Amino acid sequence: MKKILFMIMTVLGWINLTSCNDYLDIVPKGNKIPTTLADFEALLRDEYTIGYIPVTNSLYLLNDKFVGQSSLTSVTLTSANYLWNETADRIVLNNQDEGTYYRSYMAISTCNLLLEHVPVATEATDSERNEVMAYAKVIRAMSYYILANYYADTYVSATAGTTKLSVPLITSADINAPHKQVTIQEIYDFMIKDVKEAIQQGLPQQSRTVIHPNLGAAYAFLARVYLQMANYEEALKYADMALEQNDTLYDWISYYNSHKEAITKEDSYPSLPSATGYDYVENYYFRCGEGNPNYATSELNIPVERAESFEEGDARFFSRWKLRTVNQDTYYQGLAKGYFNGAGLTTCEVYLIKAECLARQVTGNDFSAAMDVLNKVRKTRILPEIYQPLQASTLTEAIDLIRRTKDNELIFTIVPFADARRFNAEGTFARALSKTWEGQTYTLTPASHLWIMPFPAGAVQNPGNGTITQNVSK
């Protein structure tokens, strides 16, 4: 587990100097011991350390991220997930894909450090200290959500509190602090507690920057967590509270029309400005997923089969991908370049959480309220000459329509993966995935062990002051 803290050990070392003898208190030349609130708050602005959490192999499993033929000729962790190879031992193969694990715990360690030292930070009022600690608690909870929905089984109320384990719960920045791999129920209880404490602590309606989670972000995240727990009443309550903070939707039709000439030009693959960056009007909180925050990156490519799941006339789809063939590979190439909110929170997600919760409340066959919310989102996405309001007469129809939009809207985030696991566990809306590649049919069943990612080898072999048990057989 010590590897988790590698990138912030220097800061910890500086802080630990304050408890040593006087001659050790001398600040090393060129370094600074953080003492003021501004010193500690600056750690929240280091996005590479705290705001960059990829979930790459979940994208491969869903076939949301394109993989070329040359990368599928041998058994690797990538090909095992992309081709749904249930015979592959992903535990053995997972000796390099450590980004999700270590970057999540890196962010958690930074948050732990802040929560331990900000209470005595200088040059600040109590309310200012509370604000920074509130940011840290929301970010820590969001990091645990990714870990819990990547490396452990999905939440099911009947079994979450039993022997089913989630991930190591670490609340100290001390590199030698003991930790425990807690149950799924315990990790969810911890996330909820963290965020509710952050709200009580004074999380502002308008945060310092978009990379500081605001009050709307806290409400949106609670809506996401409660939805994952199948607590639809609480999810709906917090979705409404989030939308009271920000209910703006981006006009993707206008974006498409503005760039239509470049997009539709034959044999042209323009580099368009990312619409979902730091200034995206739907943002509650911006956090990079697959895109590196240190420099602008290109939109990920998607498989042809994945492109077919988008709704007809989807301006957001037209604005982001275009069919291309390069040598033996045909795929939809990403057109945008810039920064992408792949691990944060947006109004669109909250609208779709609300739509599902409303659909599940229906006792008869009147799903109009749920469809009204869904159609509000679609109206900003579907070209007006194609757009027709959707209707549903059964819960299955409503869930299918909501899920289609949500999976497409939140592609490249942890949400479609977490949702698929949730639906699979529920059973009623479980789906088997199927595809043909090089003449062979591949299937991913709802019960497959592939829906849980194995802990990386480095974490299991070097667990620090605790133990880690794999949550999957291979």
Side-chain angles (χ1 to χ4, degrees):
M1 192 64 68
K2 290 182 180 179
K3 186 174 179 181
I4 298 169
L5 306 178
F6 178 76
M7 294 186 68
I8 63 170
M9 283 178 68
T10 303
V11 175
L12 285 170
W14 295 338
I15 294 170
N16 289 336
L17 284 175
T18 61
S19 62
C20 299
N21 295 330
D22 289 344
Y23 70 90
L24 290 179
D25 288 336
I26 299 172
V27 180
K29 187 176 181 180
N31 291 327
K32 178 182 180 180
I33 297 174
T35 57
T36 69
L37 183 65
D39 293 336
F40 287 106
E41 190 274 330
L43 296 176
L44 292 174
R45 299 173 186 260
D46 183 1
E47 290 186 82
Y48 192 76
T49 300
I50 203 167
Y52 171 37
I53 301 181
V55 290
T56 310
N57 273 286
S58 68
L59 308 186
Y60 290 149
L61 191 78
L62 292 176
N63 279 205
D64 282 351
K65 181 179 180 181
F66 174 74
V67 179
Q69 291 189 36
S70 62
S71 298
L72 299 174
T73 56
S74 59
V75 179
T76 63
L77 187 63
T78 296
S79 67
N81 285 316
Y82 196 75
L83 295 177
W84 307 327
N85 183 353
E86 293 192 324
T87 64
D89 192 335
R90 297 180 304 157
I91 294 173
V92 173
L93 296 173
N94 194 14
N95 57 8
Q96 291 182 330
D97 180 53
E98 301 177 328
T100 306
Y101 188 86
Y102 287 116
R103 290 201 169 279
S104 295
Y105 278 112
M106 194 184 302
I108 289 166
S109 293
T110 300
C111 293
N112 289 341
L113 186 149
L114 292 173
L115 292 168
E116 289 174 5
H117 294 279
V118 164
V120 294
T122 61
E123 299 181 23
T125 65
D126 286 342
S127 63
E128 289 169 336
R129 294 187 191 93
N130 286 336
E131 179 182 338
V132 172
M133 288 190 289
Y135 293 143
K137 286 182 177 180
V138 175
I139 294 170
R140 181 170 68 176
M142 290 187 66
S143 301
Y144 273 122
Y145 180 88
I146 291 173
L147 289 165
N149 283 281
Y150 201 81
Y151 296 110
D153 205 352
T154 194
Y155 183 96
V156 176
S157 59
T159 59
T162 60
T163 56
K164 280 197 172 185
L165 295 179
S166 184
V167 297
L169 177 59
I170 305 174
T171 58
S172 172
D174 187 336
I175 61 174
N176 292 311
H179 65 83
K180 178 184 177 183
Q181 188 176 358
V182 298
T183 66
I184 295 171
Q185 186 67 56
E186 287 174 313
I187 203 70
Y188 271 78
D189 289 345
F190 181 82
M191 289 187 287
I192 292 170
K193 177 176 176 290
D194 244 6
V195 178
K196 288 186 175 180
E197 285 180 356
I199 294 169
Q200 294 171 355
Q201 209 154 8
L203 198 67
Q205 289 183 308
Q206 183 66 45
S207 55
R208 299 190 182 197
T209 73
V210 73
I211 62 172
H212 294 73
N214 59 24
L215 185 60
Y219 293 147
F221 181 68
L222 286 173
R224 177 192 286 183
V225 171
Y226 279 119
L227 181 71
Q228 198 69 27
M229 298 172 74
N231 187 336
Y232 306 115
E233 183 178 352
E234 288 295 291
L236 179 58
K237 180 181 82 172
Y238 283 105
D240 281 332
M241 292 170 72
L243 292 172
E244 287 176 4
Q245 297 294 316
N246 179 13
D247 63 355
T248 308
L249 288 167
Y250 185 73
D251 187 353
W252 278 97
I253 297 170
S254 293
Y255 179 92
Y256 172 70
N257 287 331
S258 297
H259 300 282
K260 184 176 180 179
E261 183 176 354
I263 292 169
T264 57
K265 185 177 180 181
E266 190 173 354
D267 297 325
S268 173
Y269 298 89
S271 182
L272 305 178
S274 169
T276 61
Y278 295 98
D279 59 349
Y280 192 43
V281 296
E282 296 186 5
N283 287 338
Y284 292 113
Y285 168 55
F286 181 94
R287 197 179 203 190
C288 283
E290 298 301 303
N292 192 312
N294 283 355
Y295 50 82
T297 57
S298 297
E299 182 83 87
L300 299 178
N301 302 327
I302 63 175
V304 172
E305 296 81 8
R306 180 64 180 84
E308 292 171 353
S309 68
F310 282 81
E311 188 175 349
E312 182 185 2
D314 191 335
R316 188 171 179 271
F317 170 75
F318 296 146
S319 300
R320 295 179 67 180
W321 297 281
K322 188 173 181 179
L323 186 65
R324 186 172 195 177
T325 298
V326 178
N327 299 323
Q328 75 272 32
D329 292 324
T330 298
Y331 54 89
Y332 276 80
Q333 178 172 310
L335 301 179
K337 186 171 184 178
Y339 300 91
F340 306 89
N341 189 1
L345 294 155
T346 64
T347 59
C348 183
E349 178 184 354
V350 176
Y351 273 112
L352 297 171
I353 290 173
K354 179 176 180 175
E356 181 178 342
C357 291
L358 288 173
R360 290 181 180 273
Q361 285 186 345
V362 174
T363 55
N365 61 354
D366 185 5
F367 295 92
S368 57
M371 292 297 100
D372 286 347
V373 176
L374 173 61
N375 287 326
K376 183 172 183 177
V377 173
R378 293 178 58 252
K379 205 161 188 178
T380 63
R381 272 65 173 166
I382 308 302
L383 297 174
E385 60 269 27
I386 302 294
Y387 174 82
Q388 291 291 331
L390 295 176
Q391 297 178 339
S393 57
T394 67
L395 179 58
T396 298
E397 288 179 0
I399 294 295
D400 284 346
L401 293 172
I402 294 165
R403 188 175 177 183
R404 175 180 64 178
T405 295
K406 192 176 182 185
D407 284 351
N408 292 335
E409 283 288 335
L410 299 174
I411 191 172
F412 306 146
T413 77
I414 190 67
V415 174
F417 181 69
D419 274 352
R421 288 158 34 104
R422 173 169 62 90
F423 286 122
N424 288 346
E426 183 181 6
T428 306
F429 308 108
R431 290 178 183 171
L433 304 181
S434 182
K435 68 178 178 183
T436 300
W437 186 75
E438 292 197 332
Q440 184 173 345
T441 299
Y442 295 82
T443 302
L444 178 64
T445 67
S448 174
H449 67 272
L450 298 177
W451 288 105
I452 301 174
M453 298 296 165
F455 289 121
V460 177
Q461 295 168 6
N462 301 284
N465 193 2
T467 58
I468 300 178
T469 302
Q470 283 285 4
N471 291 319
V472 66
S473 59
K474 58 184 176 179

